[in-house]
Amino acid sequence: KRKAELSRYNLSRITNRLDFIRFLMERVEKATSFEELEQVRSMVVKGKVKNGEEKKTFRKYKLSSGREIVIGRNNFENEFISMKLANPWDMWFHAKEMAGSHVVLRLNKNEKPEDRDIVEAASAAAYFSKGRNSGKVIVDYTLAKYLRKPKGTPPGFVTYKNEKSIVVSPSDFNPKI
């Protein structure tokens, strides 16, 4: 029994390490400058991401209210911002039934977002999805605490509950860095 448990534990560690290596390979392949390669190199310290370094890789925008949204660039970043970076009280957005970036609206504990924050964050999720050129896109949103990562699923795949849906136009997204 102990050997089986140890084997499962080791398999889990190896799988996580492989996902990390795939993330790094994808970043290297997409790099267009020496600075981007240097950023990837700086992420690796004894096989782990340095604290704070991973935040530089995501898209970050300010909404008109001044609140911040964080947007993943690929499936590994989507999973990281949704499952690790997001606080349980942050709001999570994703275009319904289509590939796209995960968007996390950063909130303070016990803070309720304004309606316009929800619309702007949902528009960002629509803009950074396959529905970018559509007139209207349905976007699901929920609190990050309702996200789950089923075992054995590919990077970036999450399930969620207690979601609401909103119909937005991707063209309404007006980024402010």
Side-chain angles (χ1 to χ4, degrees):
K1 276 184 174 179
R2 279 185 272 197
K3 283 185 178 182
E5 288 174 11
L6 182 61
S7 293
R8 279 192 293 275
Y9 172 75
N10 285 335
L11 178 62
S12 173
R13 282 186 28 195
I14 291 168
T15 302
N16 289 339
R17 182 77 176 136
L18 183 59
D19 287 345
F20 176 72
I21 291 168
R22 285 184 182 138
F23 169 74
L24 291 176
M25 285 176 41
E26 188 173 319
R27 293 293 308 273
V28 169
E29 288 171 0
K30 289 183 178 182
T32 58
S33 68
F34 179 75
E35 288 78 21
E36 290 176 355
L37 288 173
E38 185 63 29
Q39 187 178 28
V40 172
R41 187 190 68 75
S42 70
M43 291 173 70
V44 181
V45 174
K46 295 182 183 175
K48 296 190 178 182
V49 177
K50 285 184 188 177
N51 288 338
E53 288 291 332
E54 70 277 357
K55 294 181 183 177
K56 295 180 182 175
T57 62
F58 312 120
R59 294 181 191 108
K60 288 185 178 181
Y61 297 101
K62 293 280 184 193
L63 301 179
S64 59
S65 66
R67 289 190 179 93
E68 181 182 74
I69 57 173
V70 182
I71 305 170
R73 294 178 184 267
N74 56 50
N75 53 350
F76 296 102
E77 287 186 9
N78 284 343
E79 184 170 322
F80 185 83
I81 67 168
S82 298
M83 303 311 294
K84 303 272 192 232
L85 183 69
N87 293 311
W89 53 83
D90 289 338
M91 187 121 340
W92 176 88
F93 297 80
H94 190 275
K96 186 174 186 125
E97 297 177 358
M98 67 177 68
S101 293
H102 294 198
V103 175
V104 173
L105 172 61
R106 304 299 300 237
L107 298 169
N108 294 320
K109 196 170 188 175
N110 299 322
E111 181 182 23
K112 301 287 184 211
E114 298 173 17
D115 289 342
R116 71 178 185 189
D117 291 334
I118 291 172
V119 170
E120 288 179 41
S123 295
Y127 183 82
F128 291 106
S129 75
K130 294 280 185 190
R132 175 184 272 192
N133 297 320
S134 302
K136 297 286 181 185
V137 175
I138 301 171
V139 175
D140 286 343
Y141 64 99
T142 189
L143 292 175
K145 70 180 178 180
Y146 296 124
L147 299 175
R148 296 290 176 262
K149 170 76 176 158
K151 277 190 172 191
T153 57
F157 182 87
V158 295
T159 60
Y160 50 94
K161 62 183 181 179
N162 297 347
E163 75 274 7
K164 295 181 181 178
S165 296
I166 185 171
V167 178
V168 294
S169 174
S171 62
D172 288 346
F173 180 61
N174 185 14
K176 294 178 186 129
I177 298 175

